[in-house]
Amino acid sequence: MKKLFLPIYLGLSLFFINCSSDDNIIPDGEQEEEEQIDATAEDYPAQHFMWQAMNIFYFWQGDVENLADNKFTGPNDPSYIQFLASQDDPAAFFYEDLCNNHVEAVGEAAAVDRFSAVVDNYEDLLNSLAGISRSNGLEFNLYLGNNQIDVFGVVNYIMPNSNASEQDISRGEFFNGVNGQDLTIENYAGLLFGEDATYTLNMADLVNDNIVGNDKEVTLTKIENFSENPILVNKIIEQNGIKIGYLMYNGFLAAYDDELNEVFGTFKSEGIDELILDFRYNPGGRVTSAVQIASSVYGAKTDEVFVRPRFNAKLQEQFSTADNFTDVTYDSETPLNTLELSRVYVITTDNTASASELVINGLEPYVDVVQIGTTTVGKNEFSNTFVDDPEGDFLYNPNRINQINPNNSWAIQPLLGRNENADGFSDYTQGLVPDHELSENIENLGVLGDENEPLLALTLSIISGGTAKYQAAEPYPADFLTHSKMYQPGKNNMFMDGLITSF
């Protein structure tokens, strides 16, 4: 796998080369501006760093007036300093003044940028991208009640070795309250994702199409620095003489790449005939892990294009080289176990995003990808983590932690570009549509990895050629609101870790 190197002078020169010698002239009669001139860009370190990084890297840099190369004459330009001071909240500055119609600023209907993110502590973001978070291990979907005000949750899965795994709670259970308070559209975020480490879920049942509380309570405690293993289920299913490998993979996390390679080693040694990748709850992650899993499916075809990144006009010419399939894991460079399949089955839902979609799209030119479930999120852009380290091109580098501005812990995760496959296709912002559609039914979620679980059962019937015989119950018409992983800093991320590096 190649690495993309960014010479430090490339972006910074665009901002500093035109600094004017008379930047400190104070306009007459403008006391407010006089006071502003006394300030410097360094007085607004978060906003100053954000502007510089976005001016270089942001995919839509050419479409955002505030990021134009000729917008300001330099870091001492009074207009620039006033611009930095225009928002006290760096997050509001990022979303409203630097991003291209961000969903946080303009809403879903008018949004262009749905996924760029900002956090006030880069360590939180980095941990999230590594699958490390403050977590009780419970993953769930949230839905609106019939009145569009009440909210209820349904448990998707429970992470092994977590606090939730020690409690009396399981996949498919309902809850409609926290600490005795009914969940509503107004309070659910604070109650479920607030600062309290411990809370008690008030469980519920679905009775005659209504969510009705029962007497069961489950107390959960979030553990600091909990690490989720994304390989939730892996097994071999034998059906009608066919050996089928099944992998439920819930995040593209570098720390588990070697373990993932071992799973494929088992599939290879057992001589599987077909493979099912279950990405239904996978919001994305590291691109290098996506390259690895795609290569394990298709083969170590290091001379064939897996993905071709498209950057902004400033960077495209330098970084237009495609990234090919690989024959080793990225970090440990362990030889890759490959299956060299001509077909793969992928289970998806509206929780499937980013690097998961990249695997599907990247394999399409080479492999018959049979998609089962519902339409994916539609995140076809990639990103990287930026911190206040100008000499490192603002790209986070674990070897340069001491070079990060100690007075500025803010980090941004802006969209840098789009990944297209070998056929040049990247236009799936509306999501990737399944070949065989079936929504998860909250009345019957089943057991993950069990052959009778509805989505897996449908997939197995497709493999055996019995699709016409498979009959699934009509899913309960719940109005989906959000899911628990959307409240992590690295939500729905496709992270180009290792593929873009400072010079």
Side-chain angles (χ1 to χ4, degrees), residues 277-323:
L277 298 176
D278 194 338
F279 289 163
R280 74 180 76 184
Y281 302 133
N282 193 320
R286 200 166 86 153
V287 169
T288 49
S289 298
V291 177
Q292 174 182 323
I293 199 169
S295 300
S296 287
V297 171
Y298 175 56
K301 313 295 178 61
T302 58
D303 58 342
E304 296 188 38
V305 172
F306 172 66
V307 61
R308 183 176 288 106
R310 293 296 179 189
F311 294 84
N312 65 33
K314 288 183 180 182
L315 305 181
Q316 180 57 34
E317 183 176 353
Q318 181 174 355
F319 294 153
S320 59
T321 304
D323 203 63

Side-chain angles (χ1 to χ4, degrees), residues 62-352:
D63 298 317
V64 178
E65 181 181 356
N66 288 332
L67 293 176
D69 294 335
N70 60 359
K71 178 71 174 179
F72 307 107
T73 60
N76 299 319
D77 184 341
S79 297
Y80 178 65
I81 297 170
Q82 289 168 7
F83 174 63
L84 299 182
S86 64
Q87 294 269 21
D88 291 333
D89 179 9
F93 178 76
F94 178 78
Y95 290 130
E96 298 173 13
D97 297 333
L98 300 183
C99 290
N100 184 15
N101 293 312
H102 196 281
V103 64
E104 294 286 342
V106 302
E108 187 73 35
V112 174
D113 185 342
R114 297 180 291 158
F115 300 110
S116 290
V118 59
V119 296
D120 60 6
N121 188 327
Y122 65 84
E123 291 181 351
D124 292 340
L125 176 59
L126 293 166
N127 283 337
S128 176
L129 295 172
I132 300 170
S133 64
R134 182 173 178 257
S135 175
N136 55 36
L138 190 75
E139 293 297 338
F140 51 86
N141 279 356
L142 292 175
Y143 301 88
L144 284 172
N146 294 332
N147 60 7
Q148 300 293 296
I149 296 173
D150 295 333
V151 171
F152 67 93
V154 181
V155 178
N156 288 335
Y157 68 94
I158 294 167
M159 302 176 198
N161 305 314
S162 67
N163 176 258
S165 70
E166 301 171 354
Q167 313 305 322
D168 180 19
I169 190 168
S170 59
R171 170 174 165 81
E173 288 197 80
F174 294 76
F175 58 90
N176 66 347
V178 172
N179 299 332
Q181 296 185 60
D182 290 341
L183 289 172
T184 69
I185 194 69
E186 298 293 334
N187 68 15
Y188 79 86
L191 290 173
L192 290 167
F193 309 108
E195 292 301 315
D196 290 344
T198 299
Y199 59 70
T200 297
L201 290 179
N202 306 117
M203 309 305 290
D205 298 313
L206 181 60
V207 180
N208 297 325
D209 292 341
N210 293 305
I211 304 299
V212 180
N214 57 36
D215 294 331
K216 183 177 178 179
E217 295 183 342
V218 178
T219 299
L220 301 170
T221 299
K222 297 175 183 177
I223 301 170
E224 296 290 344
N225 300 320
F226 179 80
S227 179
E228 177 185 3
N229 186 333
I231 306 169
L232 188 66
V233 184
N234 71 95
K235 61 187 297 186
I236 294 174
I237 301 169
E238 294 198 36
Q239 179 178 274
N240 300 325
I242 303 172
K243 276 191 174 183
I244 304 163
Y246 172 80
L247 169 64
M248 183 164 203
Y249 186 63
N250 292 331
F252 292 80
L253 304 177
Y256 298 92
D257 282 353
D258 286 337
E259 185 175 337
L260 178 66
N261 191 37
E262 291 172 5
V263 170
F264 277 90
T266 300
F267 288 162
K268 184 175 183 177
S269 64
E270 291 292 329
I272 66 168
D273 304 297
E274 305 283 1
L275 174 67
I276 301 171
L277 298 176
D278 194 338
F279 289 163
R280 74 180 76 184
Y281 302 133
N282 193 320
R286 200 166 86 153
V287 169
T288 49
S289 298
V291 177
Q292 174 182 323
I293 199 169
S295 300
S296 287
V297 171
Y298 175 56
K301 313 295 178 61
T302 58
D303 58 342
E304 296 188 38
V305 172
F306 172 66
V307 61
R308 183 176 288 106
R310 293 296 179 189
F311 294 84
N312 65 33
K314 288 183 180 182
L315 305 181
Q316 180 57 34
E317 183 176 353
Q318 181 174 355
F319 294 153
S320 59
T321 304
D323 203 63
N324 295 347
F325 291 90
T326 184
D327 56 0
V328 295
T329 61
Y330 187 81
D331 287 331
S332 67
E333 297 187 346
T334 302
L336 208 60
N337 293 309
T338 63
L339 302 176
E340 300 186 13
L341 298 173
S342 59
R343 178 175 54 241
V344 64
Y345 298 84
V346 185
I347 297 174
T348 66
T349 65
D350 49 9
N351 289 357
T352 305

Side-chain angles (χ1 to χ4, degrees), residues 392-407:
D393 293 328
F394 303 105
L395 287 155
Y396 172 75
N397 183 335
N399 298 319
R400 293 184 55 84
I401 290 178
N402 292 335
Q403 306 304 315
I404 298 172
N405 183 352
N407 299 317

